[in-house]
């Protein structure tokens, strides 16, 4: 069984705080098809309580993390706009090493975001 797993972390860079209460959906990409395999909500530290893709479910392939930022921005007090500039933020990435820890964080503000492969 592979030892790899996937984690994420969301930081609200505009407020300088972890983004707690932000919904995340994980999909596995198979050609043109997208299969939902996990859902989670970030805790007060901006992380999921467990790996979003744990060791037992971890396989190589293409994945997509979808961050439901619009709802988070609304509940965190960001002034509303219609439509919101950032609402759903998808990040598609590949997992090639079945024994590695992949960490895909999101740095978020109301008008921009960035990501990287963390550790």
């Amino acid at each position: 069984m592979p030892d790899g797993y996937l984690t994420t972390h969301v930081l609200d860079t505009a407020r300088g705080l972890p983004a707690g209460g932000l919904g995340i959906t994980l999909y596995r990409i198979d050609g043109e098809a997208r299969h939902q395999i996990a859902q989670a909500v970030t805790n007060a530290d901006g992380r999921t309580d467990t790996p979003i893709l744990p060791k037992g479910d971890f396989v190589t392939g293409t994945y997509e993390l979808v961050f439901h930022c619009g709802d988070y921005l609304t509940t965190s007090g960001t002034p509303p706009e219609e439509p919101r500039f950032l609402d759903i933020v998808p990040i598609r990435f590949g997992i090639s090493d079945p024994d590695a820890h992949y960490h895909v964080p999101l740095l978020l503000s109301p008008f921009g975001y960035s990501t990287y492969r963390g550790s």
Side-chain angles (χ1 to χ4, degrees), residues 22-65:
L22 191 144
I24 303 169
T25 308
L26 176 66
Y27 296 91
R28 181 170 168 79
I29 308 302
D30 183 20
E32 295 298 316
R34 190 170 83 151
H35 306 282
Q36 181 179 324
I37 57 174
Q39 279 190 298
V41 175
T42 57
N43 60 25
D45 193 36
R47 301 173 188 273
T48 56
D49 289 331
T50 60
I52 196 153
L53 188 59
K55 288 183 181 183
D57 299 330
F58 193 83
V59 295
T60 60
T62 303
Y63 293 84
E64 185 174 78
L65 278 167

Side-chain angles (χ1 to χ4, degrees), residues 12-117:
D12 183 332
T13 59
R15 296 179 13 179
L17 297 169
L22 191 144
I24 303 169
T25 308
L26 176 66
Y27 296 91
R28 181 170 168 79
I29 308 302
D30 183 20
E32 295 298 316
R34 190 170 83 151
H35 306 282
Q36 181 179 324
I37 57 174
Q39 279 190 298
V41 175
T42 57
N43 60 25
D45 193 36
R47 301 173 188 273
T48 56
D49 289 331
T50 60
I52 196 153
L53 188 59
K55 288 183 181 183
D57 299 330
F58 193 83
V59 295
T60 60
T62 303
Y63 293 84
E64 185 174 78
L65 278 167
V66 176
F67 297 88
H68 301 272
C69 299
D71 292 340
Y72 164 78
L73 291 168
T74 297
T75 59
S76 69
T78 300
E81 56 183 346
E82 189 57 44
R84 187 168 288 289
F85 182 71
L86 289 178
D87 184 16
I88 304 297
V89 174
I91 299 174
R92 191 168 287 192
F93 58 96
I95 291 176
S96 59
D97 183 350
D99 294 315
H101 171 202
Y102 282 73
H103 183 68
V104 181
L106 180 71
L107 305 177
L108 173 67
S109 78
F111 301 105
Y113 66 91
S114 65
T115 190
Y116 56 94
R117 180 171 175 195

